[in-house]
């Protein structure tokens, strides 16, 4: 099953006029760690277009080898991400969002994104959402996904 069959990639924005935003740029995250959220109350960056919700997945489409990827663990008011991210939102109860994040950020996936990006004809190495939309997701039960996520989380506690 392709990822586009159970996710919304780059959901449409509501275009509401916000008095402020909590902004996440690609440089705000490194390999799953949120370094900073910028509180902005005027002159928002033109790339501030991804309305984020808890459990959204952000994959940097620019220089993917730098691993500026993030899983939105909690909600902040008016949380907005850069269009430098490909935003992935799970829409199926049969897919664990954190498992999908781990799946999309493995070294092999990052190598795939990097290969596509380096062959692009853009100013910076980048790839588009079609690459993620057309990834084949493994046939694995929700229970197995939960077990894998729990195993990864327990191993991270001991590092």
């Amino acid at each position: 099953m392709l990822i586009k069959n159970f996710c919304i990639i780059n959901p449409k924005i509501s275009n509401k006029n916000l008095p402020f935003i909590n902004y996440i740029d690609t440089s705000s995250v490194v390999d799953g760690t949120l370094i900073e959220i910028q509180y902005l109350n005027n002159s928002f960056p033109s790339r501030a277009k991804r309305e984020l919700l808890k459990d959204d997945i952000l994959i940097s489409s620019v220089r993917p080898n730098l691993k500026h990827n993030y899983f939105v663990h909690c909600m902040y008011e008016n949380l907005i991400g850069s269009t430098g991210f490909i935003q992935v939102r799970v829409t199926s109860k049969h897919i664990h969002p954190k498992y999908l994040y781990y799946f999309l950020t493995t070294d092999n996936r990052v190598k795939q994104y990097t290969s596509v990006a380096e062959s692009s004809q853009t100013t910076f190495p980048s790839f588009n959402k079609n690459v993620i939309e057309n990834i084949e997701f493994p046939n694995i039960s929700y229970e197995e996904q939960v077990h894998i996520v729990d195993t990864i989380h327990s191993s991270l506690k001991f590092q």
Side-chain angles (χ1 to χ4, degrees), residues 29-47:
V29 298
V30 178
D31 203 12
T33 302
L34 182 60
I35 307 300
E36 102 179 291
I37 295 177
Q38 298 174 52
Y39 177 87
L40 304 172
N41 59 12
N42 57 27
S43 58
F44 306 148
S46 62
R47 294 177 67 89

Side-chain angles (χ1 to χ4, degrees), residues 22-83:
N22 285 298
Y23 180 60
I24 299 176
D25 194 358
T26 55
S27 63
S28 301
V29 298
V30 178
D31 203 12
T33 302
L34 182 60
I35 307 300
E36 102 179 291
I37 295 177
Q38 298 174 52
Y39 177 87
L40 304 172
N41 59 12
N42 57 27
S43 58
F44 306 148
S46 62
R47 294 177 67 89
K49 301 247 192 270
R50 305 258 188 257
E51 289 181 83
L52 304 176
L53 299 177
K54 183 179 182 297
D55 296 335
D56 278 355
I57 299 165
L58 301 175
I59 305 294
S60 179
S61 63
V62 179
R63 294 189 177 107
N65 60 308
L66 298 178
K67 297 183 178 182
H68 292 293
N69 306 314
Y70 185 63
F71 182 84
V72 180
H73 298 279
C74 58
M75 198 56 225
Y76 293 86
E77 188 176 4
N78 300 334
L79 188 61
I80 304 293
S82 168
T83 56

Side-chain angles (χ1 to χ4, degrees), residues 7 34 44 49 51 61 63 66 99 127 131 140 151 154-155 159:
C7 290
L34 182 60
F44 306 148
K49 301 247 192 270
E51 289 181 83
S61 63
R63 294 189 177 107
L66 298 178
Y99 176 80
F127 67 101
V131 173
I140 181 170
T151 302
S154 67
S155 71
Q159 291 183 2

Side-chain angles (χ1 to χ4, degrees), residues 93-108:
K93 293 183 263 181
H94 305 289
I95 306 298
H96 192 292
K98 190 70 175 202
Y99 176 80
L100 181 60
Y101 169 77
Y102 289 137
F103 176 77
L104 291 174
T105 59
T106 62
D107 287 342
N108 284 340

